[in-house]
Amino acid sequence: MIFTSTSGHADRREDKLYDRVADPVYEFMANRFGWSATKVSNGKRVSDVEGFFPMNFLDLRLFANPVKYLRHQKRFTKYLASIEATDEIESRSGLAIKSLLIKSVCFILASEQSAKAILKRANPTLVAFVCYYHNVNFAYLNAAKSLAIPTIDIQHGKQGVYHLMYAHWGQVPNNGYRMVPDFFWNWGESSKLNIEKGRNNLQQHQPVVLGNHWLINWKKNKAERESPQYRKLLDSYSTVVLFSLQQDMEIPIPDFVLDEIQTQKDVLWLFRLHPAQKIGNAKVLKSLADLKVSNVEIHESSKLPLYQIIEHVHLHLTNWSSVCIEALNFGVKSIIVHPNGYDLYEELINTEQFFYAKDSSDLCMAMDKIAADAGQVDASDHFLMDMEVIERRASQLFLEGMSRR
């Protein structure tokens, strides 16, 4: 049973929405182990385009018990009021922590019986999540723990040392957390090591390297689907740059990057919107339109499969998108253009797998350095590609999971 939200990780495949995270796992389970899988979206349908695999749309929020919610709300509000630290946290962060906690905890507890009933009826051998840290998923994790159903989180992006949903857990109960998966499906060793840091040999919530199956499938079965006009555009420039945008940023494209677009008109600049972008599209489009240049493309570059585009570019720019990790497998190096990205990828920047630019001078220098270095890029730490190893590990994992039931 796989809980996901296709819209946030979707590419087009045969004119249908293909979930780059969940669907390759869906296929792997069926083809290698003969398992059938049920995909569940935590909410309503957000696209008229048909999914590549069947999707069940089930909004658990509709089944939360309002009486239980109010009862838990009264008790938990009183409990939080007795903890002075929450006031200090709110003051320092500027966030309404208590209000957020009350809503989350009360929803999870009020949904417990409904989530348990759904899992009992489905009777899954394993419950998988794409991005487990969501109130609905917490409710299902809590229910799965009560029913002794093993759970796993499937890696959907960068899992770095600053991602607190995966790293630096210093105070973990002896039996683990109820609302954290039993296992973590990682792309490669680097993500696994990030999760293991600061865990003090924790036996629960174990990371397992099982590969990025969308990447593995793409490498085996490349499909050229771009229009002749788009391919002609790509071929007309000797240097093609892809900028992977973040979701809903106040300043999505740094000014010094916009300046270089106007200066370097012999370079084609492709921009790819974040798949979950909701409110910032108009801002991005206006920023690019105001340049009044012809060496920019965003529409096709936001629609085509990500890996298809990466295969045609010479270098990659981003604020901090994990596309920079995926690009390494195609021999493409990245330039990070935001301080947050520097913090996330400092180790890779120091070893010049990535570069960092804070202004036009840095950007030009990094572009020249990447152009001059045509050597191979080693992505083996980030992605396990050996299917024999993956199948052996998956078999062991599933046997261990089933033995817990």
Side-chain angles (χ1 to χ4, degrees), residues 88-124:
E88 184 179 353
I89 293 171
E90 284 195 331
S91 176
R92 289 187 177 186
S93 67
L95 300 174
I97 301 295
K98 285 189 280 190
S99 175
L100 291 171
L101 278 173
I102 289 168
K103 288 179 181 178
S104 297
V105 170
C106 294
F107 167 77
I108 293 164
L109 294 174
S111 305
E112 183 175 11
Q113 293 304 316
S114 297
K116 197 179 291 185
I118 291 167
L119 292 184
K120 277 184 176 180
R121 184 176 180 84
N123 192 30

Side-chain angles (χ1 to χ4, degrees), residues 10-301:
D11 265 338
R12 290 295 183 100
R13 181 175 169 186
E14 299 174 13
D15 292 325
K16 296 179 181 179
L17 284 181
Y18 186 87
D19 186 322
R20 297 191 308 271
V21 182
D23 286 351
V25 172
Y26 185 106
E27 290 179 293
F28 173 69
M29 303 285 237
N31 296 338
R32 303 294 180 176
F33 300 100
W35 285 22
S36 60
T38 301
K39 284 178 59 185
V40 181
S41 176
N42 298 324
K44 62 182 181 180
R45 183 187 294 272
V46 296
S47 173
D48 293 331
V49 181
E50 183 182 356
F52 194 83
F53 292 112
M55 173 76 88
N56 298 283
F57 292 89
L58 180 65
D59 192 342
L60 186 64
R61 290 167 294 190
L62 299 176
F63 300 96
N65 187 314
V67 176
K68 285 187 175 181
Y69 184 98
L70 292 173
R71 186 163 65 242
H72 289 303
Q73 183 183 47
K74 183 177 180 180
R75 291 175 180 173
F76 194 60
T77 301
K78 184 178 180 180
Y79 169 72
L80 281 181
S82 68
I83 303 176
E84 295 180 4
T86 55
D87 294 325
E88 184 179 353
I89 293 171
E90 284 195 331
S91 176
R92 289 187 177 186
S93 67
L95 300 174
I97 301 295
K98 285 189 280 190
S99 175
L100 291 171
L101 278 173
I102 289 168
K103 288 179 181 178
S104 297
V105 170
C106 294
F107 167 77
I108 293 164
L109 294 174
S111 305
E112 183 175 11
Q113 293 304 316
S114 297
K116 197 179 291 185
I118 291 167
L119 292 184
K120 277 184 176 180
R121 184 176 180 84
N123 192 30
T125 305
L126 176 74
V127 178
F129 299 90
V130 177
C131 190
Y132 80 92
Y133 44 96
H134 180 286
N135 284 346
V136 172
N137 288 344
F138 285 145
Y140 282 117
L141 280 161
N142 188 40
K145 183 70 73 174
S146 298
L147 299 170
I149 301 172
T151 55
I152 189 167
D153 176 80
I154 306 169
Q155 183 169 353
H156 66 282
K158 170 70 174 173
Q159 291 178 350
V161 293
Y162 296 106
H163 200 317
L164 296 182
M165 301 311 292
Y166 296 100
H168 295 294
W169 300 344
Q171 301 290 330
V172 181
N174 291 334
N175 295 323
Y177 293 112
R178 287 188 64 85
M179 290 178 287
V180 174
D182 299 311
F183 303 100
F184 292 94
W185 180 311
N186 290 127
W187 292 343
E189 285 294 328
S190 61
S191 296
K192 177 176 180 285
L193 290 174
N194 285 336
I195 288 179
E196 289 176 336
K197 286 179 182 176
R199 289 164 54 103
N200 300 322
N201 298 316
L202 178 67
Q203 297 303 307
Q204 290 76 24
H205 318 306
Q206 287 297 308
V208 184
V209 178
L210 294 170
N212 178 333
H213 286 255
W214 177 224
L215 177 62
I216 292 170
N217 293 348
W218 182 270
K219 289 281 189 176
K220 287 181 180 177
N221 307 298
K222 296 178 183 178
E224 298 293 328
R225 291 189 288 274
E226 73 265 16
S227 67
Q229 294 88 349
Y230 187 75
R231 186 56 182 269
K232 184 178 179 181
L233 176 66
L234 296 175
D235 291 343
S236 64
Y237 287 84
S238 58
T239 302
V240 181
V241 176
L242 171 65
F243 193 119
S244 297
L245 292 156
Q246 306 298 135
Q247 181 181 356
D248 300 331
M249 286 185 65
E250 183 65 30
I251 303 175
I253 308 169
D255 288 341
F256 68 86
V257 174
L258 295 173
D259 291 340
E260 284 307 307
I261 294 172
Q262 290 184 307
T263 301
Q264 299 194 41
K265 294 183 179 178
D266 56 337
V267 174
L268 176 62
W269 302 79
L270 308 177
F271 286 83
R272 184 175 179 86
L273 294 166
H274 190 283
Q277 181 95 335
K278 292 182 174 65
I279 61 174
N281 288 3
K283 185 186 299 182
V284 173
L285 294 173
K286 184 178 186 307
S287 294
L288 297 177
D290 287 347
L291 297 176
K292 294 181 171 57
V293 294
S294 59
N295 59 326
V296 167
E297 204 290 322
I298 188 170
H299 300 289
E300 283 296 306
S301 301

